[in-house]
Amino acid sequence: MSMHIALEEARRAAARQEVPVGAVVVAPDGRIVSQAGNRTEALNDASAHAELLAMREAARSLRSPRLAGCDLFVTLEPCPMCAAAAVHFRIRRVIFGAYDIKGGGIEHGPRIFQAPGCLHLPEVIGGVQETEAAALLKSFFAARR
């Protein structure tokens, strides 16, 4: 269900002409604490990725700088910036849809969670609803080429 909501956030982002990525933070009790889609264009902020927006909102909502026990659902493998943020927010588990061979930071690229000295190691589950997440991205970028 949470990935379904993240995909809906990604669709909303695409409708706003943002790269279609959506994220949801789920509390240890299973309730959705926050959800967001990319807003880099709308906010003129290169760091306004769905994951960061969702984790920031979850931290505000839970009144804690750490999201211990919380899970992050995101439609695309987090980039290095978002992967590092998940470490600092102490996310329990990162569940993502499409793999990002060029810009990913977990299974690809710098593999943030495998770096020496990584402060916290979230569990990772990749490829959840991968086909649907990848199709959103492909159609978004195909329309721009």
Side-chain angles (χ1 to χ4, degrees), residues 21 51 74-80 82-83 94-111 124 126-127 133 137:
V21 177
E51 304 96 302
V74 59
T75 58
L76 179 65
E77 176 184 350
C79 73
C82 293
V94 176
I95 300 101
F96 68 86
Y99 290 85
D100 189 349
I101 295 168
K102 292 181 184 176
I106 295 176
E107 299 288 331
H108 299 91
R111 301 175 190 257
V124 176
L137 289 157

Side-chain angles (χ1 to χ4, degrees), residues 6-101:
L7 285 162
E8 188 53 42
E9 285 291 341
R11 285 186 204 89
R12 287 187 194 121
R16 295 188 305 268
Q17 304 306 305
E18 300 274 2
V19 174
V21 177
V24 172
V25 175
V26 177
D29 65 6
R31 71 188 158 90
I32 293 175
V33 181
S34 64
Q35 58 193 70
N38 275 356
R39 290 196 175 271
T40 58
E41 301 299 326
L43 298 176
N44 295 310
D45 179 353
S47 74
H49 290 194
E51 304 96 302
L52 277 175
L53 296 172
M55 289 187 289
R56 288 173 183 157
E57 180 58 33
R60 279 190 293 275
S61 177
L62 296 173
R63 296 181 175 183
S64 173
R66 285 165 213 74
L67 301 173
C70 291
D71 296 337
L72 173 66
F73 288 79
V74 59
T75 58
L76 179 65
E77 176 184 350
C79 73
M81 173 180 68
C82 293
V87 168
H88 287 278
F89 276 105
R90 303 298 196 268
I91 290 289
R92 175 179 66 168
R93 184 180 302 130
V94 176
I95 300 101
F96 68 86
Y99 290 85
D100 189 349
I101 295 168

Side-chain angles (χ1 to χ4, degrees), residues 111-132:
R111 301 175 190 257
I112 297 296
F113 301 160
Q114 296 174 22
C118 185
L119 302 171
H120 170 74
L121 182 58
E123 179 184 343
V124 176
I125 302 169
V128 176
Q129 291 186 257
E130 178 182 6
T131 303
E132 189 174 352

